[in-house]
Amino acid sequence: MSDTAVRAKTGKTWKQWVRALDGVDATAMPHRDIAHHVYEHHDVSDWWAQTVTVGYERIRGLRDVGQRRDGTYEANKSKTVTVPVPTLYRAWSDKRMRTRWLPNADLTIHTARREQSMRIMWEDGTVVDVYFTAKGTAKSQVALQHRKLPSKAVGTLMKGFWTERLAALERLLLRSRGDQ
């Protein structure tokens, strides 16, 4: 995030944020406490408080890109397709349909909110959170966060995996519609 963007939305540059957070010994705080401090004491929205906190943690070497404060990594990916949410959701929830674009995946759907979200336990014990959003009547987006990955290398690998699998999902859905 650029200095200009951060300043426009929060009133401070990265240098000013580092000085302000160093002043309250934020490097010793857990992520949640830093974000709460930014939100409560600097009149910043929840989203920007999170953005500032993650940026500060990266600047201070407390986390790497894609890394959480607990040391694990995550891979995030989204895809917008020209099908309605119910069709996109079914491609994930229906096992026969899912194996057509996500073959050989040993997974368990732990929780699901119909046409909104699902939490999946991956075969290696990592977690995939999936969110579905309407982008109009015939367009929708799936966004996923694959969490608890053991390293940056695995995070990069899984981001590539999900890029490929979501492209396969889109091809399947468009083919099913007759869009070739």
Side-chain angles (χ1 to χ4, degrees), residues 88-158:
L88 184 58
Y89 182 84
R90 186 171 158 263
W92 284 80
S93 63
D94 181 278
K95 185 176 182 175
R96 278 185 18 177
M97 190 169 186
R98 187 175 60 241
T99 58
R100 292 174 62 197
W101 65 272
L102 191 59
N104 306 315
D106 183 13
L107 59 87
T108 304
I109 297 174
H110 271 268
T111 58
R113 292 179 58 205
R114 187 172 180 78
E115 299 175 8
Q116 293 180 36
S117 65
M118 59 178 58
R119 175 162 290 162
I120 298 169
M121 182 65 70
W122 205 248
E123 59 194 280
D124 60 2
T126 58
V127 178
V128 182
D129 295 318
V130 186
Y131 303 93
F132 304 90
T133 307
K135 296 290 184 180
T137 56
K139 191 183 218 182
S140 55
Q141 180 183 59
V142 60
L144 66 88
Q145 181 180 47
H146 196 147
R147 300 183 295 114
K148 299 190 178 192
L149 301 171
S151 68
K152 185 173 186 172
V154 172
T156 300
L157 181 71
M158 293 313 295

Side-chain angles (χ1 to χ4, degrees), residues 30-42:
H31 175 89
R32 178 178 298 178
D33 292 352
I34 300 169
H36 181 75
H37 174 82
V38 171
Y39 175 77
E40 287 290 320
H41 298 281
H42 296 278

Side-chain angles (χ1 to χ4, degrees), residues 80-91:
T80 301
V81 292
T82 53
V83 298
V85 168
T87 303
L88 184 58
Y89 182 84
R90 186 171 158 263

